Amino acid sequence: EVQLVESGGGLVQPGGSLRLSCAASGFTFTTYWMHWVRQVPGKGLVWVSRINPDGSDTNYADFVRGRFTISRENAKNTVYLQMNSLRIEDTAVYYCVRRGDYGGVLDPWGRGTLVTVSS
Amino acid sequence: DIVLTQSPGPLSLSPGETATLSCRASQSIRNNYLAWYQQRPGQAPRLLIYDASSRATGIPDRFSGSGSGTDFTLTISRLEPEDFAVYFCQHYVTSTWTFGQGTKVEIK
C-alpha cells in the first residue's frame, strides 16, 4: 500500500522557517515525481512545488519561488519542503502528493501537516 | 496560467439523485488533461477521474467524467451518503498545476 506521511508542521512566527518532511513507502520512490500542495482549511487546493525523481529538476508556484525549496533524499524515501521567510498567508495544511500513474495527476495524497504562521 | 472555474456553488441534493458539476477552463485543455478529485470532511483529496473521462482505480462507475476543450463535467449518479463532499477539478497541461475552487455537494 502506498503511504505518504508528512511531518514538521507547527506554529512559527512571520519571517521564520520550517522544514516539512514526507516519508514515502509502498512504491518505488526513485521513479516518481513528488509534489507539495497546500490548502487553507475550508478553502481550495493550491499547488506549491514539485521535484523530479533524481532531484535535478524542480518547479515552484510564483508565490513561493525564492522562499521555499523542495528537495529529496532517495536513500531515505523522503521529500522535503524548506520554507523560509514565512508569511501569515502561508498558513495552510501542506499535503505531500505523488505523481499519479496517469499523466500529471496527483495520486495518492498524504494526510497533510498544518503550518500556522502567526505572531 | 489556466484558470479553472467550477459551478454551481453548493449543490443541495438528496441521496439517490444525480449531481452534475461543471469545470470551465480559461483556455483549451490540451489532450483533455483534466482530473477530478473528491475531498471528504477531514480527509485528503483522492483522485476520481483523469484525462477528463477515465475513472481511477477503484472508483465506482456511478462517477463519470466528460467534456473537452474548455468545458468539463463530473456526473455522480445515484448519490450515496459518502458522496457528499467537495469536488475539485485540476489541469495538468503545463508544469504548474491549478485547481478549480471546488464544488460542495451537500445533503438536502
Side-chain angles (χ1 to χ4, degrees), chain A residues 35 37 39 43-47 50 59-60 95 102-107 109-111, chain B residues 35 37 39 43-47 49-50 56-57 88 90 92 95-97 99-101:
Chain A
H35 299 248
V37 176
Q39 183 177 37
K43 302 297 184 182
L45 300 166
V46 181
W47 177 82
R50 72 167 184 167
N59 299 97
Y60 298 93
Y95 293 102
Y102 319 111
V105 297
L106 303 173
D107 177 58
W109 298 56
R111 299 174 70 92
Chain B
Y37 300 84
Q39 187 175 32
Q43 296 187 15
R46 72 161 177 161
L47 177 67
I49 300 288
Y50 65 96
T57 302
F88 295 93
Q90 173 236 337
Y92 40 100
S95 60
T96 54
W97 286 247
F99 295 84
Q101 79 277 22

Side-chain angles (χ1 to χ4, degrees), chain A:
Chain A
E1 180 194 4
V2 175
Q3 280 201 314
L4 301 169
V5 180
E6 302 93 336
S7 60
L11 176 64
V12 61
Q13 291 188 335
S17 298
L18 213 54
R19 189 177 83 156
L20 305 183
S21 300
C22 170
S25 60
F27 64 100
T28 307
F29 184 71
T30 55
T31 62
Y32 283 89
W33 287 77
M34 296 297 296
H35 299 248
W36 288 96
V37 176
R38 74 185 190 185
Q39 183 177 37
V40 174
K43 302 297 184 182
L45 300 166
V46 181
W47 177 82
V48 173
S49 182
R50 72 167 184 167
I51 187 166
N52 72 338
D54 69 7
S56 63
D57 189 12
T58 58
N59 299 97
Y60 298 93
D62 287 344
F63 56 84
V64 301
R65 189 173 292 114
R67 299 190 299 124
F68 290 11
T69 301
I70 189 171
S71 62
R72 63 194 294 161
E73 194 167 354
N74 283 349
K76 293 185 176 181
N77 283 5
T78 301
V79 62
Y80 305 98
L81 187 67
Q82 177 68 44
M83 304 185 296
N84 298 331
S85 304
L86 281 161
R87 306 167 180 168
I88 291 175
E89 56 265 33
D90 293 320
T91 295
V93 174
Y94 285 73
Y95 293 102
C96 172
V97 197
R98 193 193 73 175
R99 184 186 191 271
D101 291 325
Y102 319 111
V105 297
L106 303 173
D107 177 58
W109 298 56
R111 299 174 70 92
T113 186
L114 177 62
V115 172
T116 303
V117 184
S118 174
S119 55

Side-chain angles (χ1 to χ4, degrees), chain B residues 1-16:
Chain B
D1 286 357
I2 298 175
V3 177
L4 300 176
T5 302
Q6 292 186 239
S7 62
L11 196 51
S12 296
L13 295 167
S14 300

Side-chain angles (χ1 to χ4, degrees), chain B residues 27-87:
Chain B
Q27 58 188 273
S28 184
I29 303 282
R30 175 174 51 89
N31 295 328
N32 292 335
Y33 283 158
L34 185 109
W36 289 93
Y37 300 84
Q38 176 194 65
Q39 187 175 32
R40 295 170 175 155
Q43 296 187 15
R46 72 161 177 161
L47 177 67
L48 298 175
I49 300 288
Y50 65 96
D51 293 349
S53 60
S54 297
R55 270 188 302 276
T57 302
I59 302 303
D61 61 6
R62 63 178 184 275
F63 291 90
S64 63
S66 63
S68 64
T70 60
D71 290 296
F72 299 87
T73 300
L74 174 69
T75 302
I76 314 169
S77 305
R78 308 178 304 279
L79 280 165
E80 297 281 345
E82 62 267 27
D83 299 337
F84 291 92
V86 180
Y87 293 84

